[in-house]
Amino acid sequence: MFSRFIPTAEKIIFRHRLAVIVIFCLTTLFMAYSASHLRIDAGFTKLVPMKHEFMKTYVHYQQEFGGANKILVVLAPKKGDIFTPEFFTALQKVTDEIFFLPGVDRSRVISIFTPNARFTEVTEEGFAGGPLVAADFAPNRESLDKVRENLIKSPYVGRLVANDFTAALVKTDLLEIDPQTKKKLNLLEVAKRLENIRQKYQNDNLDIHIIGFAKVMGDITEGASRVVLFFGVAFLVTALLIYFYTLSLRRTGVLLAVALIAVIWQLGLLPLLGFGIDPMGILVPFLVFAIAVSHGIQMISANSAGLFEGKSTLDAAKDSFSALLIPGLTALGTDTIGFATIYLIKIRIIQEMAMTAGIGVAVIILTNLVLLPVILSYVTADEKYRQKLRRKAAIFEPVWHKLSAVASRPVAAVIIGICLLLALLGAWKAGDIKIGDTQAGVPELRPDSRYNRDTAFITKKFSIGVDIMTIFVDGGQPDACVNCNNMLAVDDLEWHMANIPGVHSTMSLAKFLRIANAGWNEGAPKWQILPTNKPSIASCLTFLGSSSGLMSPDGRVMPVYLFTRDHKAETISRIVAAARKYRQQHTPFGEGMKIALMGGNVGVMAATNEEVQASQTPILLYVYGAVILFCLIAFRSIRAVLCILLPLGLVSLLGYSLMAIMGIGLKVNTLPIVALGVGVGVDYGIYIYASFRSILKRGESFRKAYEKTLDITGNGVLVTAFSLAIGVATWIWSPLQFQADMGILLTFLFLVNMLGAVFVLPALAAWLLRGPNTHPAG
């Protein structure tokens, strides 16, 4: 099938070498210009599965009740309580600053200074009330005492001010589209403005704590910017190891330049296709560089083998091109299709990562399999360089001879036995992996980061917490809220969910009606029951505006708010399971009402966790399906596929086990990593198998064939694995926890995939392929 394709491709490319180089240079200049227009593109909806049931509910009720993209700015005096003129002056100014931030839903800005924060009290003449802070407020002791009284009469202690009056907050929602520019809201600009507010008002007497999705994206982007430093370190480490491997500055420079060209093309294509780059996907270009280096080293290895045999640079380049074209196309085609299949997951950030990685690997097909051998044909090699190669070969010859013992059946049997044991242990431990977050706060940031410390402070000081899950009760018609049976049903739902472990507190219209009903009866505790008729309910709702968030303006929808203790995976799954079970057991609900799940930031997390859980098996099936397909096309042997596939499967299993041991949850930013690791691992296996099979067909003995394979291909695999592992290991010192976790995971995957290809693949081949004539099947 390939007998005519390879010579034809070789003739066309090497006959027009200069034209190939000129075309690549011009294209690289254009791609570099395009890459200069690449922008960081962060967005809330990109991180969530918009077609999930919960997200459809979220979007449906977002306009009436706000979304999960919130901002909380908390001011806390370092000494004493909030009732000082200086504090109130600062709080009022911060409230105004938040109100005029770009993209803020101004109807949902709330603090004790906004008119939608009101108190209600029972007097001899009935109900009375007003704003928490009067319009004629002046920062003096009398006015401050009056605000304290109003707060005590209101439901906002623990919600807008801390339970011990040592902090107060400003809260709002962000819109997806900036109303002023009519464009997608720039979350990074919002994060910058929030940080400016902190710098402006924080002083020796006042602390400011800020949380919210925009702030998370800002902090992640700031930390991710250091990836340039880590890339520089990895580049230097890779350069040094490649030099010690090639013994040539020119060949080292050519290889690194070609790998960088692949990254430039990848980054340049993204703006042309209408994509930006998300802070969560900032590591993908490094992975493309890693894959380009991996394939480049194989080309350098094959080229050096030709020079070692005394061939000219042109003939060595042609031979390396012909020898590696099919293995390279197989490996890179597998990577490209494997990454493309990840696009099927209905979460936009994963789709963008899949697209970015797929584009990068597709580009490597051109840069590494065409440009690199063409440039190498111009890199001269004198007799002195050939002598260097021979001396290096002589030094490593006894090493490869000893390692080739893994291709003998007795040693292979031991290796396979160890692998079976590792597979059993891996399967046992991998079952402990969690879907979603495994710690409080934002796991992408370090536990001691400013954001996570702010989160802990707010959770400690306020009753509402920062994790909210919303169940929407839809009455189906206006004024459903004044139906007694409906309110009894809402009350029962709230009571049931309040008793689920992990729920800190709850709030609903039914709870408000109990308090208001007691208010109509001189505040007597025995009257804290639900009103039993429409007029009584209507009177209780007299002083409740729709801005309270407890009902829609037409009285049709009544949300039940669940304030959770944290957003850990087990907490979310427990609450969601309880809500689903309750809905199933109470259908129909009330008089024609329905329960819609879920809203709030924890509801969004629940949707994402469920999508990740549903996608983890298909994503691996897609990637491994691509591996099987391309290996079958290239090698036309089931046993060859097994030799390449089984080590990959073991490494994936051990990768999941490592995540479980380290407490890394399977979520949006970690789901693609194991799949991406397969992309690098399969390259090792394909190159080693292709070289092994080619040498065996020359009539070499099984062990001798593998010894030569190690000298030509395995040598390059070892260098690649160690250089890439050392490079990504630098990420462990990143200020971002998820980058540090990825550094550990990728270091593990790079090294263990190398061990699988070098030790496990030949051990399997010794039993699956070795026959009477020692030739591989297919």
Side-chain angles (χ1 to χ4, degrees):
M1 180 168 61
F2 305 115
S3 58
R4 283 181 291 181
F5 169 70
I6 295 176
T8 303
E10 177 193 303
K11 187 180 297 184
I12 293 172
I13 290 171
F14 284 90
R15 185 176 292 175
H16 304 91
R17 289 184 293 163
L18 189 58
V20 168
I21 292 174
V22 170
I23 290 171
F24 270 91
C25 287
L26 293 175
T27 305
T28 301
L29 290 174
F30 173 74
M31 290 300 179
Y33 171 76
S34 176
S36 67
H37 295 84
L38 184 65
R39 54 178 171 57
I40 297 292
D41 182 22
F44 177 74
T45 57
K46 290 170 60 175
L47 296 172
V48 295
M50 295 305 293
K51 295 187 178 181
H52 190 279
E53 172 200 355
F54 296 174
M55 292 312 303
K56 290 179 180 178
T57 300
Y58 167 88
V59 171
H60 183 71
Y61 295 108
Q62 182 177 11
Q63 188 170 357
E64 290 179 317
F65 297 99
N69 192 359
K70 299 182 182 294
I71 294 174
L72 271 72
V73 180
V74 174
L75 286 75
K78 294 184 178 180
K79 293 181 180 180
D81 58 26
I82 65 175
F83 298 106
T84 63
E86 295 78 15
F87 181 87
F88 267 66
T89 300
L91 180 61
Q92 185 174 21
K93 289 181 178 179
V94 170
T95 301
D96 292 340
E97 295 253 17
I98 297 297
F99 188 84
F100 289 106
L101 279 178
V104 161
D105 186 348
R106 293 177 180 174
S107 66
R108 299 195 180 279
V109 177
I110 186 169
S111 79
I112 62 174
F113 275 98
T114 56
N116 53 352
R118 303 177 64 84
F119 73 95
T120 304
E121 64 177 329
V122 180
T123 67
E124 294 176 352
E125 298 176 356
F127 279 103
L132 293 175
V133 178
D136 58 353
F137 172 82
N140 53 49
R141 178 48 51 192
E142 183 181 354
S143 296
L144 292 172
D145 290 341
K146 184 63 177 175
V147 173
R148 185 195 292 267
E149 291 177 12
N150 294 344
L151 279 167
I152 293 172
K153 298 170 187 175
S154 78
Y156 291 111
V157 176
R159 296 172 62 191
L160 293 182
V161 298
N163 290 306
D164 58 0
F165 296 109
T166 58
L169 64 78
V170 185
K171 182 171 67 172
T172 189
D173 287 8
L174 289 179
L175 302 169
E176 190 72 16
I177 303 297
D178 189 336
Q180 294 180 342
T181 63
K182 307 300 180 184
K183 296 180 180 179
K184 183 179 177 182
L185 181 62
N186 187 339
L187 293 177
L188 302 184
E189 178 62 25
V190 174
K192 183 179 178 181
R193 296 276 290 270
L194 289 169
E195 196 57 41
N196 289 341
I197 291 173
R198 193 205 304 267
Q199 298 301 323
K200 183 176 180 180
Y201 294 101
Q202 186 167 279
N203 53 47
D204 294 338
N205 301 315
L206 183 68
D207 270 336
I208 295 183
H209 309 270
I210 306 173
I211 62 172
F213 179 74
K215 195 68 181 70
V216 172
M217 286 295 101
D219 289 357
I220 288 176
T221 302
E222 182 182 353
S225 63
R226 296 194 189 180
V227 77
V228 177
L229 174 63
F230 298 133
F231 184 85
V233 173
F235 185 86
L236 290 175
V237 170
T238 302
L240 287 172
L241 288 175
I242 292 174
Y243 173 73
F244 286 123
Y245 172 66
T246 62
L247 304 176
S248 168
L249 281 174
R250 285 182 295 174
R251 282 171 172 75
T252 300
V254 166
L255 173 54
L256 293 175
V258 169
L260 285 176
I261 287 172
V263 176
I264 292 170
W265 281 34
Q266 176 203 29
L267 297 179
L269 283 168
L270 290 177
L272 295 177
L273 295 172
F275 289 96
I277 189 164
D278 193 275
M280 294 291 190
I282 202 99
L283 302 180
V284 175
F286 176 83
L287 289 176
V288 169
F289 176 77
I291 293 172
V293 168
S294 172
H295 288 268
I297 286 177
Q298 295 304 323
M299 187 66 71
I300 293 285
S301 295
N303 184 266
S304 297
L307 296 174
F308 181 83
E309 294 171 2
K311 295 178 181 178
S312 68
T313 53
L314 179 58
D315 289 339
K318 286 181 177 180
D319 288 350
S320 60
F321 170 84
S322 299
L324 296 183
L325 182 60
I326 298 307
L329 284 174
T330 302
L332 291 168
T334 301
D335 295 346
T336 303
I337 299 301
F339 296 152
T341 57
I342 304 174
Y343 192 87
L344 299 175
I345 297 175
K346 307 299 183 184
I347 299 177
R348 189 177 163 197
I349 179 61
I350 292 181
Q351 292 177 330
E352 287 190 6
M353 289 176 70
M355 178 69 72
T356 305
I359 290 171
V361 176
V363 165
I364 293 172
I365 293 176
L366 296 175
T367 57
N368 281 51
L369 298 184
V370 177
L371 179 62
L372 181 56
V374 167
I375 295 178
L376 288 175
S377 70
Y378 286 104
V379 181
T380 58
D382 55 20
E383 186 58 33
K384 184 178 179 181
Y385 179 68
R386 297 175 196 271
Q387 287 296 332
K388 285 183 181 179
L389 293 179
R390 294 187 182 100
R391 284 197 297 270
K392 188 183 79 167
I395 292 171
F396 283 97
E397 184 178 359
V399 177
W400 306 140
H401 178 72
K402 290 181 179 179
L403 284 180
S404 66
V406 299
S408 63
R409 284 191 168 180
V411 178
V414 174
I415 291 173
I416 292 172
I418 293 172
C419 289
L420 289 174
L421 180 61
L422 288 174
L424 291 173
L425 292 174
W428 167 66
K429 195 62 187 176
D432 295 335
I433 194 169
K434 303 294 183 183
I435 307 295
D437 295 337
T438 58
Q439 65 184 55
V442 176
E444 286 79 11
L445 302 173
R446 294 283 189 180
D448 60 349
S449 67
R450 178 63 191 262
Y451 187 95
N452 281 333
R453 285 186 282 117
D454 286 351
T455 300
F457 177 87
I458 295 171
T459 303
K460 178 182 177 182
K461 289 291 184 178
F462 293 82
S463 297
I464 58 173
V466 295
D467 295 320
I468 305 171
M469 185 178 283
T470 309
I471 300 174
F472 297 98
V473 179
D474 195 325
Q477 59 185 359
D479 298 326
C481 62
V482 297
N483 184 301
C484 179
N485 291 330
N486 287 346
M487 295 316 303
L488 285 170
V490 172
D491 187 58
D492 184 71
L493 170 62
E494 182 184 7
W495 179 88
H496 178 81
M497 297 307 300
N499 286 281
I500 302 300
V503 176
H504 180 269
S505 60
T506 60
M507 176 58 70
S508 74
L509 184 61
K511 180 174 285 187
F512 171 82
L513 288 175
R514 288 174 174 271
I515 298 170
N517 191 46
W520 277 113
N521 292 277
E522 300 179 346
K526 70 177 182 179
W527 286 102
Q528 282 196 7
I529 59 174
L530 285 174
T532 56
N533 54 70
K534 289 184 179 180
S536 297
I537 294 176
S539 63
C540 289
L541 297 177
T542 303
F543 299 100
L544 182 70
S546 60
S547 62
S548 66
L550 296 179
M551 66 178 183
S552 60
D554 61 359
R556 176 179 56 88
V557 184
M558 297 145 281
V560 176
Y561 297 102
L562 313 177
F563 300 98
T564 64
R565 296 189 182 278
D566 53 58
H567 54 254
K568 293 180 180 178
E570 56 266 29
T571 302
I572 294 176
S573 59
R574 187 189 310 117
I575 296 172
V576 169
R580 281 200 167 115
K581 183 177 180 180
Y582 184 92
R583 181 175 63 177
Q584 184 180 5
Q585 294 175 346
H586 294 80
T587 301
F589 183 65
E591 296 189 7
M593 298 196 300
K594 67 174 183 179
I595 298 174
L597 308 175
M598 293 271 189
N601 66 313
V602 179
V604 171
M605 292 178 191
T608 306
N609 290 353
E610 291 190 355
E611 185 66 27
V612 168
Q613 186 169 24
S615 302
Q616 64 164 324
T617 301
I619 198 174
L620 285 176
L621 291 177
Y622 297 152
V623 173
Y624 279 102
V627 172
I628 293 170
L629 177 63
F630 275 82
C631 289
L632 278 175
I633 292 173
F635 303 120
R636 289 169 290 174
S637 167
I638 295 294
R639 286 179 286 178
V641 172
L642 290 175
C643 288
I644 296 170
L645 192 70
L646 291 178
L648 285 177
L650 176 61
V651 174
S652 294
L653 198 60
L654 294 177
Y656 279 119
S657 301
L658 180 65
M659 291 175 69
I661 292 169
M662 292 180 58
I664 301 174
L666 197 62
K667 49 187 297 183
V668 167
N669 57 334
T670 57
L671 179 61
I673 292 298
V674 176
L676 293 173
V678 172
V680 177
V682 72
D683 298 343
Y684 298 159
I686 287 174
Y687 279 119
I688 284 182
Y689 182 83
S691 178
F692 189 34
R693 185 181 72 161
S694 174
I695 296 170
L696 272 175
K697 284 184 175 180
R698 300 176 196 167
E700 296 282 358
S701 68
F702 209 81
R703 180 170 175 174
K704 189 64 178 177
Y706 190 61
E707 183 179 338
K708 288 188 175 182
T709 299
L710 287 173
D711 184 39
I712 298 172
T713 304
N715 194 0
V717 167
L718 290 170
V719 171
T720 301
F722 282 110
S723 62
L724 298 183
I726 293 171
V728 297
T730 60
W731 298 356
I732 296 171
W733 291 274
S734 169
L736 300 179
Q737 186 65 49
F738 90 94
Q739 264 189 2
D741 292 342
M742 292 310 97
I744 294 172
L745 274 177
L746 288 173
T747 299
F748 176 84
L749 291 174
F750 285 148
L751 291 177
V752 180
N753 269 316
M754 175 269 292
L755 294 175
V758 172
F759 292 97
V760 183
L761 188 154
L764 290 169
W767 288 93
L768 292 175
L769 304 183
R770 197 169 185 176
N773 58 2
T774 73
H775 285 255

